[in-house]
Amino acid sequence: SIMRVLTIADRSDSLILRDTSRTFSAKALMSEDYERLCSLMLATVTHPSQDGVGIAGPQVGLNRRVVAVQRFDKEGHPFEVYPNISIIEKSEELAPGPEGCLSVPNQRHEVMRHTWVTIQYYSLEARKVVQERIEGFTAVIFQHEVDHLSGVLYIDRVEQ
């Protein structure tokens, strides 16, 4: 099964999409509920009805700091989940690119994004906070998804 994706077309959805997300506790990250959430988020973003390259907690109604991102910078372009994520460093250089959003249906716009970012997140495998520098299109996806965790939609970043 998949989760319902919230959209700006629905007023109550917009309240959740515009809210700030909270971090998970260490205990929550080790729970079956978190594991189930990850599975459902991945099933939702990859479902043919959505066919996205990333999804964030608020888009499925959960104001928690978690994103699932397709890693175009890795072999096989796998989807991976990043809990308690933040962007801690970004390039000065910006580049334009087309973006869309599952929560803003039937729209695409040019957005200026940093050409690389350093993300910080809790790695369940390493059982610690790790950092990783991301470049190119995958960096754009991370910026887009992490924005959701602060209640920012890509349409807020479109140049007028």
Side-chain angles (χ1 to χ4, degrees):
S1 68
I2 64 171
M3 303 173 88
R4 184 176 79 82
V5 176
L6 280 58
T7 70
I8 60 168
D10 182 296
R11 181 156 167 64
S12 57
D13 284 2
S14 285
L15 294 174
I16 294 166
L17 290 168
R18 294 299 190 171
D19 202 2
T20 303
S21 294
R22 301 178 314 279
T23 58
F24 287 94
S25 67
K27 181 180 177 184
L29 289 175
M30 299 303 157
S31 72
E32 285 182 22
D33 286 344
Y34 177 75
E35 200 173 303
R36 189 166 34 259
L37 171 66
C38 293
S39 295
L40 283 169
M41 285 179 71
L42 290 170
T44 302
V45 73
T46 59
H47 192 271
S49 68
Q50 300 300 330
D51 195 28
V53 295
I55 197 164
Q59 292 181 276
V60 293
L62 186 67
N63 286 116
R64 292 293 183 160
R65 294 193 73 82
V66 61
V67 301
V69 169
Q70 189 168 7
R71 294 298 301 260
F72 287 96
D73 57 341
K74 292 185 175 182
E75 190 174 329
H77 303 162
F79 274 89
E80 297 177 353
V81 179
Y82 297 85
N84 294 346
I85 187 169
S86 57
I87 293 174
I88 60 167
E89 191 180 14
K90 44 195 162 194
S91 67
E92 286 187 27
E93 183 185 354
L94 298 170
E99 286 188 38
C101 182
L102 301 177
S103 294
V104 185
N106 307 315
Q107 290 189 45
R108 288 189 73 70
H109 299 281
E110 283 280 304
V111 180
M112 298 295 287
R113 294 285 187 183
H114 300 276
T115 56
W116 62 262
V117 295
T118 301
I119 60 170
Q120 180 173 287
Y121 61 96
Y122 185 82
S123 167
L124 292 172
E125 295 77 30
R127 295 197 185 271
K128 66 179 183 179
V129 174
V130 297
Q131 296 177 3
E132 186 178 347
R133 182 172 156 153
I134 314 289
E135 299 178 7
F137 182 56
T138 304
V140 170
I141 301 168
F142 273 105
Q143 290 169 79
H144 178 110
E145 299 310 331
V146 171
D147 270 355
H148 276 294
L149 306 180
S150 299
V152 175
L153 298 174
Y154 89 100
I155 52 176
D156 301 335
R157 297 195 180 279
V158 174
E159 305 270 324
Q160 300 305 331

